[in-house]
Amino acid sequence: MAELHQQYQQSHPFQAQQGMMQQQPKSYQVAKAATAVTAGGSLLVLSGLVLAGTVICLTVATPLLVIFSPVLVPAVITVALIMTGFLASGGFGVAAISVLSWIYKYVTGSHPPGADKLDSARHKLAGKARDMKDRAEQFGQQHMGTERGQHGQHQTS
């Protein structure tokens, strides 16, 4: 019977969780609810204050933005382009250092992550190249053999 109850709890975790909640004392449930209401209410009040502050700041700043827009728009575009350039440059630098570090580890034999996949791919590629070389040689031998046979027939007639 205990095994069936355990299997039921595993197959229906939400209902099992409700059963556990019913086993908790009422004071514990009230404390959890009060904490949730307090935290949720505080965050709701805070979001309302931030929204009101944003609307007030936007109302005050709009005339200034309109007056200074001939200067601000090109300045913002310039700053955005400069920041994008620096971030891209830094990202490419970090990527290059990471790649060079990985290659150094691979060459020195310390087996960096992914080296086994690279070795496997290299072996597969070398095997395919050998197969293609063999097929080309076979095709060349067959093709040369048929040409010799045709030339021989033309020369005898």
Side-chain angles (χ1 to χ4, degrees), residues 91-150:
F92 290 140
V94 168
I97 289 171
S98 299
V99 167
L100 289 173
S101 170
W102 189 93
I103 290 173
Y104 176 75
K105 288 178 183 176
Y106 182 75
V107 169
T108 57
S110 67
H111 197 73
D116 52 345
K117 290 182 181 180
L118 182 65
D119 292 336
S120 171
R122 186 179 60 191
H123 290 302
K124 284 181 184 179
L125 190 60
K128 292 291 181 185
R130 266 187 255 108
D131 290 345
M132 292 303 292
K133 179 184 171 191
D134 294 342
R135 287 183 186 176
E137 287 176 354
Q138 288 175 358
F139 180 77
Q141 289 172 357
Q142 288 176 355
H143 188 66
M144 293 300 285
T146 56
E147 277 187 12
R148 286 183 186 155
Q150 288 175 354

Side-chain angles (χ1 to χ4, degrees), residues 53-104:
T54 303
V55 169
I56 291 170
C57 286
L58 189 59
T59 304
V60 170
T62 300
L64 295 173
L65 289 173
V66 170
I67 291 170
F68 293 112
S69 66
V71 175
L72 290 177
V73 171
V76 167
I77 291 172
T78 303
V79 168
L81 289 174
I82 289 172
M83 293 299 291
T84 303
F86 279 129
L87 288 174
S89 174
F92 290 140
V94 168
I97 289 171
S98 299
V99 167
L100 289 173
S101 170
W102 189 93
I103 290 173
Y104 176 75

Side-chain angles (χ1 to χ4, degrees), residues 9-24:
Q9 284 181 341
Q10 289 174 353
S11 63
H12 299 88
F14 181 71
Q15 291 177 352
Q17 194 176 33
Q18 282 181 339
M20 288 176 61
M21 284 179 55
Q22 290 173 355
Q23 293 173 0
Q24 295 174 348

